[in-house]
mmCIF file of all heavy atoms in Angstrom:
data_model
loop_
_atom_site.group_PDB
_atom_site.id
_atom_site.type_symbol
_atom_site.label_atom_id
_atom_site.label_comp_id
_atom_site.label_asym_id
_atom_site.label_seq_id
_atom_site.Cartn_x
_atom_site.Cartn_y
_atom_site.Cartn_z
ATOM 1 N N ILE V 1 -46.921 -31.447 145.100
ATOM 2 C CA ILE V 1 -46.751 -30.003 145.268
ATOM 3 C C ILE V 1 -47.563 -29.272 144.208
ATOM 4 O O ILE V 1 -47.389 -29.503 143.005
ATOM 5 C CB ILE V 1 -45.274 -29.592 145.148
ATOM 6 C CG1 ILE V 1 -44.434 -30.328 146.211
ATOM 7 C CG2 ILE V 1 -45.109 -28.075 145.286
ATOM 8 C CD1 ILE V 1 -42.945 -30.205 145.997
ATOM 9 N N GLY V 2 -48.478 -28.405 144.636
ATOM 10 C CA GLY V 2 -49.213 -27.528 143.735
ATOM 11 C C GLY V 2 -48.540 -26.170 143.704
ATOM 12 O O GLY V 2 -47.984 -25.719 144.709
ATOM 13 N N LEU V 3 -48.607 -25.483 142.569
ATOM 14 C CA LEU V 3 -47.885 -24.220 142.404
ATOM 15 C C LEU V 3 -48.684 -23.256 141.554
ATOM 16 O O LEU V 3 -49.149 -23.602 140.464
ATOM 17 C CB LEU V 3 -46.521 -24.493 141.746
ATOM 18 C CG LEU V 3 -45.684 -23.290 141.337
ATOM 19 C CD1 LEU V 3 -45.211 -22.523 142.562
ATOM 20 C CD2 LEU V 3 -44.473 -23.752 140.508
ATOM 21 N N TYR V 4 -48.863 -22.039 142.055
ATOM 22 C CA TYR V 4 -49.395 -20.930 141.243
ATOM 23 C C TYR V 4 -48.295 -19.899 141.129
ATOM 24 O O TYR V 4 -47.842 -19.350 142.135
ATOM 25 C CB TYR V 4 -50.645 -20.321 141.882
ATOM 26 C CG TYR V 4 -51.134 -19.087 141.150
ATOM 27 C CD1 TYR V 4 -51.957 -19.209 140.038
ATOM 28 C CD2 TYR V 4 -50.727 -17.811 141.546
ATOM 29 C CE1 TYR V 4 -52.395 -18.080 139.345
ATOM 30 C CE2 TYR V 4 -51.143 -16.684 140.857
ATOM 31 C CZ TYR V 4 -51.980 -16.829 139.764
ATOM 32 O OH TYR V 4 -52.388 -15.707 139.074
ATOM 33 N N VAL V 5 -47.846 -19.637 139.921
ATOM 34 C CA VAL V 5 -46.704 -18.736 139.729
ATOM 35 C C VAL V 5 -47.051 -17.647 138.713
ATOM 36 O O VAL V 5 -47.655 -17.895 137.678
ATOM 37 C CB VAL V 5 -45.447 -19.536 139.282
ATOM 38 C CG1 VAL V 5 -45.681 -20.262 137.969
ATOM 39 C CG2 VAL V 5 -44.224 -18.646 139.207
ATOM 40 N N GLU V 6 -46.678 -16.422 139.063
ATOM 41 C CA GLU V 6 -46.863 -15.271 138.171
ATOM 42 C C GLU V 6 -45.573 -14.925 137.451
ATOM 43 O O GLU V 6 -45.575 -14.604 136.267
ATOM 44 C CB GLU V 6 -47.350 -14.063 138.984
ATOM 45 C CG GLU V 6 -48.703 -14.275 139.625
ATOM 46 C CD GLU V 6 -49.062 -13.188 140.625
ATOM 47 O OE1 GLU V 6 -48.161 -12.567 141.202
ATOM 48 O OE2 GLU V 6 -50.272 -12.981 140.833
ATOM 49 N N ASP V 7 -44.459 -14.982 138.187
ATOM 50 C CA ASP V 7 -43.175 -14.566 137.628
ATOM 51 C C ASP V 7 -42.064 -15.376 138.270
ATOM 52 O O ASP V 7 -42.019 -15.517 139.487
ATOM 53 C CB ASP V 7 -42.958 -13.066 137.903
ATOM 54 C CG ASP V 7 -41.643 -12.564 137.333
ATOM 55 O OD1 ASP V 7 -41.254 -13.024 136.242
ATOM 56 O OD2 ASP V 7 -41.000 -11.717 137.980
ATOM 57 N N ILE V 8 -41.173 -15.934 137.447
ATOM 58 C CA ILE V 8 -40.029 -16.687 137.950
ATOM 59 C C ILE V 8 -38.847 -15.739 138.003
ATOM 60 O O ILE V 8 -38.294 -15.348 136.974
ATOM 61 C CB ILE V 8 -39.725 -17.904 137.059
ATOM 62 C CG1 ILE V 8 -40.938 -18.844 137.045
ATOM 63 C CG2 ILE V 8 -38.484 -18.636 137.559
ATOM 64 C CD1 ILE V 8 -40.838 -19.935 135.996
ATOM 65 N N ARG V 9 -38.456 -15.353 139.204
ATOM 66 C CA ARG V 9 -37.431 -14.322 139.361
ATOM 67 C C ARG V 9 -36.011 -14.855 139.168
ATOM 68 O O ARG V 9 -35.129 -14.147 138.722
ATOM 69 C CB ARG V 9 -37.569 -13.668 140.740
ATOM 70 C CG ARG V 9 -38.838 -12.818 140.855
ATOM 71 C CD ARG V 9 -39.178 -12.505 142.307
ATOM 72 N NE ARG V 9 -40.280 -11.569 142.414
ATOM 73 C CZ ARG V 9 -41.558 -11.887 142.258
ATOM 74 N NH1 ARG V 9 -41.882 -13.136 141.964
ATOM 75 N NH2 ARG V 9 -42.508 -10.979 142.373
ATOM 76 N N ASP V 10 -35.781 -16.110 139.532
ATOM 77 C CA ASP V 10 -34.463 -16.728 139.401
ATOM 78 C C ASP V 10 -34.677 -18.089 138.742
ATOM 79 O O ASP V 10 -34.977 -19.076 139.415
ATOM 80 C CB ASP V 10 -33.807 -16.870 140.775
ATOM 81 C CG ASP V 10 -32.380 -17.404 140.703
ATOM 82 O OD1 ASP V 10 -32.031 -18.059 139.697
ATOM 83 O OD2 ASP V 10 -31.623 -17.187 141.663
ATOM 84 N N SER V 11 -34.521 -18.146 137.423
ATOM 85 C CA SER V 11 -34.870 -19.356 136.679
ATOM 86 C C SER V 11 -33.978 -20.538 137.052
ATOM 87 O O SER V 11 -34.435 -21.684 137.087
ATOM 88 C CB SER V 11 -34.807 -19.097 135.177
ATOM 89 O OG SER V 11 -33.515 -18.662 134.795
ATOM 90 N N LEU V 12 -32.693 -20.282 137.350
ATOM 91 C CA LEU V 12 -31.796 -21.371 137.715
ATOM 92 C C LEU V 12 -32.189 -21.972 139.062
ATOM 93 O O LEU V 12 -32.248 -23.191 139.227
ATOM 94 C CB LEU V 12 -30.355 -20.880 137.741
ATOM 95 C CG LEU V 12 -29.286 -21.939 138.068
ATOM 96 C CD1 LEU V 12 -29.366 -23.110 137.094
ATOM 97 C CD2 LEU V 12 -27.897 -21.306 138.038
ATOM 98 N N ALA V 13 -32.487 -21.114 140.052
ATOM 99 C CA ALA V 13 -32.922 -21.605 141.354
ATOM 100 C C ALA V 13 -34.240 -22.368 141.234
ATOM 101 O O ALA V 13 -34.443 -23.402 141.890
ATOM 102 C CB ALA V 13 -33.087 -20.442 142.331
ATOM 103 N N PHE V 14 -35.113 -21.889 140.372
ATOM 104 C CA PHE V 14 -36.409 -22.535 140.159
ATOM 105 C C PHE V 14 -36.207 -23.929 139.558
ATOM 106 O O PHE V 14 -36.813 -24.912 139.995
ATOM 107 C CB PHE V 14 -37.256 -21.664 139.242
ATOM 108 C CG PHE V 14 -38.691 -22.103 139.106
ATOM 109 C CD1 PHE V 14 -39.590 -21.920 140.141
ATOM 110 C CD2 PHE V 14 -39.138 -22.693 137.934
ATOM 111 C CE1 PHE V 14 -40.915 -22.313 140.016
ATOM 112 C CE2 PHE V 14 -40.458 -23.093 137.803
ATOM 113 C CZ PHE V 14 -41.347 -22.901 138.848
ATOM 114 N N ARG V 15 -35.330 -24.026 138.556
ATOM 115 C CA ARG V 15 -35.049 -25.322 137.925
ATOM 116 C C ARG V 15 -34.426 -26.284 138.937
ATOM 117 O O ARG V 15 -34.769 -27.465 138.991
ATOM 118 C CB ARG V 15 -34.119 -25.126 136.727
ATOM 119 C CG ARG V 15 -33.819 -26.440 136.002
ATOM 120 C CD ARG V 15 -33.086 -26.193 134.705
ATOM 121 N NE ARG V 15 -31.757 -25.652 134.930
ATOM 122 C CZ ARG V 15 -30.930 -25.326 133.936
ATOM 123 N NH1 ARG V 15 -31.328 -25.425 132.684
ATOM 124 N NH2 ARG V 15 -29.730 -24.857 134.202
ATOM 125 N N ARG V 16 -33.486 -25.791 139.734
ATOM 126 C CA ARG V 16 -32.862 -26.645 140.743
ATOM 127 C C ARG V 16 -33.903 -27.186 141.720
ATOM 128 O O ARG V 16 -33.851 -28.351 142.129
ATOM 129 C CB ARG V 16 -31.805 -25.849 141.501
ATOM 130 C CG ARG V 16 -30.521 -25.610 140.712
ATOM 131 C CD ARG V 16 -29.639 -24.618 141.420
ATOM 132 N NE ARG V 16 -28.328 -24.509 140.788
ATOM 133 C CZ ARG V 16 -27.534 -23.447 140.887
ATOM 134 N NH1 ARG V 16 -27.919 -22.399 141.605
ATOM 135 N NH2 ARG V 16 -26.350 -23.433 140.294
ATOM 136 N N ALA V 17 -34.845 -26.342 142.124
ATOM 137 C CA ALA V 17 -35.882 -26.780 143.058
ATOM 138 C C ALA V 17 -36.772 -27.849 142.432
ATOM 139 O O ALA V 17 -37.132 -28.843 143.082
ATOM 140 C CB ALA V 17 -36.719 -25.584 143.505
ATOM 141 N N LEU V 18 -37.133 -27.659 141.158
ATOM 142 C CA LEU V 18 -37.971 -28.642 140.471
ATOM 143 C C LEU V 18 -37.238 -29.967 140.310
ATOM 144 O O LEU V 18 -37.833 -31.047 140.473
ATOM 145 C CB LEU V 18 -38.395 -28.107 139.108
ATOM 146 C CG LEU V 18 -39.353 -26.905 139.133
ATOM 147 C CD1 LEU V 18 -39.624 -26.432 137.711
ATOM 148 C CD2 LEU V 18 -40.658 -27.270 139.824
ATOM 149 N N LEU V 19 -35.949 -29.917 139.993
ATOM 150 C CA LEU V 19 -35.164 -31.136 139.891
ATOM 151 C C LEU V 19 -35.072 -31.854 141.233
ATOM 152 O O LEU V 19 -35.091 -33.087 141.312
ATOM 153 C CB LEU V 19 -33.751 -30.818 139.375
ATOM 154 C CG LEU V 19 -33.644 -30.492 137.886
ATOM 155 C CD1 LEU V 19 -32.281 -29.923 137.558
ATOM 156 C CD2 LEU V 19 -33.912 -31.733 137.042
ATOM 157 N N ARG V 20 -34.987 -31.065 142.297
ATOM 158 C CA ARG V 20 -34.944 -31.636 143.645
ATOM 159 C C ARG V 20 -36.259 -32.351 143.957
ATOM 160 O O ARG V 20 -36.261 -33.450 144.532
ATOM 161 C CB ARG V 20 -34.674 -30.517 144.647
ATOM 162 C CG ARG V 20 -34.359 -30.962 146.053
ATOM 163 C CD ARG V 20 -33.805 -29.772 146.829
ATOM 164 N NE ARG V 20 -33.653 -30.079 148.235
ATOM 165 C CZ ARG V 20 -32.644 -30.767 148.751
ATOM 166 N NH1 ARG V 20 -31.694 -31.214 147.950
ATOM 167 N NH2 ARG V 20 -32.569 -31.011 150.046
ATOM 168 N N ALA V 21 -37.383 -31.743 143.570
ATOM 169 C CA ALA V 21 -38.683 -32.380 143.771
ATOM 170 C C ALA V 21 -38.796 -33.649 142.927
ATOM 171 O O ALA V 21 -39.313 -34.679 143.398
ATOM 172 C CB ALA V 21 -39.800 -31.410 143.429
ATOM 173 N N ALA V 22 -38.316 -33.590 141.690
ATOM 174 C CA ALA V 22 -38.364 -34.763 140.810
ATOM 175 C C ALA V 22 -37.528 -35.900 141.380
ATOM 176 O O ALA V 22 -37.942 -37.066 141.359
ATOM 177 C CB ALA V 22 -37.876 -34.381 139.409
ATOM 178 N N ALA V 23 -36.345 -35.578 141.902
ATOM 179 C CA ALA V 23 -35.475 -36.596 142.493
ATOM 180 C C ALA V 23 -36.122 -37.244 143.705
ATOM 181 O O ALA V 23 -35.867 -38.407 144.005
ATOM 182 C CB ALA V 23 -34.135 -35.977 142.882
ATOM 183 N N ALA V 24 -36.994 -36.502 144.387
ATOM 184 C CA ALA V 24 -37.701 -37.025 145.557
ATOM 185 C C ALA V 24 -38.982 -37.759 145.166
ATOM 186 O O ALA V 24 -39.698 -38.266 146.042
ATOM 187 C CB ALA V 24 -38.034 -35.893 146.523
ATOM 188 N N GLY V 25 -39.290 -37.791 143.865
ATOM 189 C CA GLY V 25 -40.489 -38.473 143.383
ATOM 190 C C GLY V 25 -41.777 -37.727 143.652
ATOM 191 O O GLY V 25 -42.848 -38.336 143.747
ATOM 192 N N LYS V 26 -41.683 -36.404 143.753
ATOM 193 C CA LYS V 26 -42.864 -35.598 144.059
ATOM 194 C C LYS V 26 -43.257 -34.754 142.841
ATOM 195 O O LYS V 26 -42.524 -33.841 142.459
ATOM 196 C CB LYS V 26 -42.596 -34.690 145.266
ATOM 197 C CG LYS V 26 -42.284 -35.472 146.527
ATOM 198 C CD LYS V 26 -42.059 -34.581 147.725
ATOM 199 C CE LYS V 26 -41.718 -35.422 148.954
ATOM 200 N NZ LYS V 26 -41.546 -34.609 150.174
ATOM 201 N N PRO V 27 -44.408 -35.034 142.232
ATOM 202 C CA PRO V 27 -44.841 -34.225 141.085
ATOM 203 C C PRO V 27 -45.170 -32.799 141.514
ATOM 204 O O PRO V 27 -45.664 -32.559 142.618
ATOM 205 C CB PRO V 27 -46.087 -34.953 140.577
ATOM 206 C CG PRO V 27 -46.546 -35.789 141.723
ATOM 207 C CD PRO V 27 -45.339 -36.125 142.537
ATOM 208 N N VAL V 28 -44.877 -31.854 140.616
ATOM 209 C CA VAL V 28 -45.231 -30.448 140.827
ATOM 210 C C VAL V 28 -46.262 -30.063 139.772
ATOM 211 O O VAL V 28 -45.976 -30.121 138.568
ATOM 212 C CB VAL V 28 -44.003 -29.523 140.721
ATOM 213 C CG1 VAL V 28 -44.421 -28.062 140.893
ATOM 214 C CG2 VAL V 28 -42.954 -29.898 141.764
ATOM 215 N N ILE V 29 -47.453 -29.707 140.208
ATOM 216 C CA ILE V 29 -48.535 -29.337 139.305
ATOM 217 C C ILE V 29 -48.632 -27.822 139.308
ATOM 218 O O ILE V 29 -48.966 -27.216 140.331
ATOM 219 C CB ILE V 29 -49.864 -29.963 139.762
ATOM 220 C CG1 ILE V 29 -49.709 -31.488 139.865
ATOM 221 C CG2 ILE V 29 -50.986 -29.601 138.805
ATOM 222 C CD1 ILE V 29 -50.856 -32.166 140.572
ATOM 223 N N ALA V 30 -48.321 -27.196 138.186
ATOM 224 C CA ALA V 30 -48.175 -25.732 138.147
ATOM 225 C C ALA V 30 -49.230 -25.054 137.289
ATOM 226 O O ALA V 30 -49.599 -25.565 136.219
ATOM 227 C CB ALA V 30 -46.792 -25.372 137.631
ATOM 228 N N ILE V 31 -49.685 -23.915 137.771
ATOM 229 C CA ILE V 31 -50.507 -22.988 136.994
ATOM 230 C C ILE V 31 -49.676 -21.734 136.801
ATOM 231 O O ILE V 31 -49.238 -21.125 137.772
ATOM 232 C CB ILE V 31 -51.820 -22.630 137.710
ATOM 233 C CG1 ILE V 31 -52.667 -23.884 137.956
ATOM 234 C CG2 ILE V 31 -52.614 -21.595 136.914
ATOM 235 C CD1 ILE V 31 -53.879 -23.625 138.833
ATOM 236 N N LYS V 32 -49.438 -21.345 135.562
ATOM 237 C CA LYS V 32 -48.650 -20.139 135.259
ATOM 238 C C LYS V 32 -49.579 -19.045 134.783
ATOM 239 O O LYS V 32 -50.266 -19.189 133.766
ATOM 240 C CB LYS V 32 -47.598 -20.449 134.183
ATOM 241 C CG LYS V 32 -46.854 -19.208 133.651
ATOM 242 C CD LYS V 32 -46.012 -18.570 134.744
ATOM 243 C CE LYS V 32 -45.172 -17.412 134.184
ATOM 244 N NZ LYS V 32 -45.999 -16.207 133.908
ATOM 245 N N ALA V 33 -49.617 -17.944 135.527
ATOM 246 C CA ALA V 33 -50.441 -16.797 135.146
ATOM 247 C C ALA V 33 -49.639 -15.853 134.249
ATOM 248 O O ALA V 33 -48.417 -15.934 134.184
ATOM 249 C CB ALA V 33 -50.906 -16.050 136.388
ATOM 250 N N GLY V 34 -50.323 -14.967 133.584
ATOM 251 C CA GLY V 34 -49.660 -13.927 132.814
ATOM 252 C C GLY V 34 -49.344 -14.295 131.378
ATOM 253 O O GLY V 34 -48.451 -13.702 130.762
ATOM 254 N N ARG V 35 -50.044 -15.268 130.818
ATOM 255 C CA ARG V 35 -49.767 -15.687 129.439
ATOM 256 C C ARG V 35 -50.409 -14.738 128.411
ATOM 257 O O ARG V 35 -49.921 -14.602 127.305
ATOM 258 C CB ARG V 35 -50.244 -17.110 129.218
ATOM 259 C CG ARG V 35 -49.481 -18.124 130.065
ATOM 260 C CD ARG V 35 -50.141 -19.491 130.061
ATOM 261 N NE ARG V 35 -50.074 -20.096 128.737
ATOM 262 C CZ ARG V 35 -49.078 -20.902 128.346
ATOM 263 N NH1 ARG V 35 -48.078 -21.166 129.168
ATOM 264 N NH2 ARG V 35 -49.101 -21.446 127.146
ATOM 265 N N SER V 36 -51.517 -14.089 128.812
ATOM 266 C CA SER V 36 -52.143 -13.114 127.920
ATOM 267 C C SER V 36 -51.632 -11.711 128.264
ATOM 268 O O SER V 36 -50.974 -11.511 129.280
ATOM 269 C CB SER V 36 -53.672 -13.151 128.091
ATOM 270 O OG SER V 36 -54.023 -12.669 129.379
ATOM 271 N N GLN V 37 -51.934 -10.733 127.415
ATOM 272 C CA GLN V 37 -51.485 -9.365 127.663
ATOM 273 C C GLN V 37 -52.085 -8.819 128.964
ATOM 274 O O GLN V 37 -51.365 -8.235 129.784
ATOM 275 C CB GLN V 37 -51.864 -8.460 126.492
ATOM 276 C CG GLN V 37 -51.328 -7.045 126.619
ATOM 277 C CD GLN V 37 -51.627 -6.192 125.377
ATOM 278 O OE1 GLN V 37 -52.172 -6.691 124.400
ATOM 279 N NE2 GLN V 37 -51.244 -4.935 125.412
ATOM 280 N N ALA V 38 -53.385 -9.042 129.160
ATOM 281 C CA ALA V 38 -54.035 -8.560 130.389
ATOM 282 C C ALA V 38 -53.514 -9.310 131.596
ATOM 283 O O ALA V 38 -53.265 -8.720 132.659
ATOM 284 C CB ALA V 38 -55.539 -8.719 130.276
ATOM 285 N N GLY V 39 -53.302 -10.614 131.457
ATOM 286 C CA GLY V 39 -52.790 -11.406 132.564
ATOM 287 C C GLY V 39 -51.384 -11.015 132.941
ATOM 288 O O GLY V 39 -51.026 -10.993 134.124
ATOM 289 N N ALA V 40 -50.568 -10.678 131.924
ATOM 290 C CA ALA V 40 -49.191 -10.264 132.198
ATOM 291 C C ALA V 40 -49.162 -8.961 132.978
ATOM 292 O O ALA V 40 -48.342 -8.788 133.891
ATOM 293 C CB ALA V 40 -48.431 -10.108 130.887
ATOM 294 N N ALA V 41 -50.084 -8.043 132.648
ATOM 295 C CA ALA V 41 -50.142 -6.766 133.363
ATOM 296 C C ALA V 41 -50.539 -6.995 134.820
ATOM 297 O O ALA V 41 -49.990 -6.384 135.739
ATOM 298 C CB ALA V 41 -51.117 -5.830 132.678
#
């Protein structure tokens, strides 16, 4: 599973989903945008 994420709106639901993927043996490769001031805007 590849993932491009700007904002995690529900962190608990997000964690549960990632744990579900891990339990299924499926790696999640994530790119998180918004780490810089301009990117966050």
Side-chain angles (χ1 to χ4, degrees):
I1 301 168
L3 173 67
Y4 174 84
V5 60
E6 296 170 334
D7 181 37
I8 299 169
R9 291 164 173 78
D10 185 337
S11 58
L12 182 56
F14 189 73
R15 182 171 66 182
R16 285 170 172 156
L18 293 177
L19 285 168
R20 190 167 172 80
K26 298 182 181 183
V28 178
I29 303 168
I31 300 172
K32 172 65 175 74
R35 295 168 67 91
S36 68
Q37 185 175 356

